Amino acid sequence: ITITLPSTSGLSRIYIFSDVGGNLINNNLILQTDGTDTIAGQSSFTANINYSSIQIISNTINKWLVI
């Protein structure tokens, strides 16, 4: 599953993604950034641990931070 995140420009957002079904090992979650934004220093972030949760927050400039 690939989700393209909106631009961080001017946005202060928090998103939480949770694998409640335990399927990420077989169906990775890929968070893709928009334009020149980054997430954890990269253009994408892949989650592949069953039953895990990922929380991200935007810095309103150009970064998504994994918290």
Side-chain angles (χ1 to χ4, degrees):
I1 300 170
T2 300
I3 297 173
T4 301
L5 300 168
S7 171
T8 59
S9 180
L11 293 177
S12 180
R13 303 265 174 123
I14 296 174
Y15 292 108
I16 300 169
F17 303 93
S18 185
D19 177 26
V20 297
N23 294 309
L24 280 184
I25 195 74
N26 295 317
N27 299 302
N28 296 175
L29 171 64
I30 302 167
L31 300 177
Q32 184 71 44
T33 61
D34 180 60
T36 60
D37 291 350
T38 61
I39 181 167
Q42 304 295 317
S43 61
S44 66
F45 179 88
T46 301
N48 59 4
I49 299 172
N50 285 345
Y51 299 104
S52 63
S53 293
I54 298 98
Q55 185 172 353
I56 61 172
I57 187 169
S58 66
N59 72 347
T60 72
I61 301 170
N62 64 354
K63 294 180 182 174
W64 287 98
L65 309 169
V66 179
I67 53 173

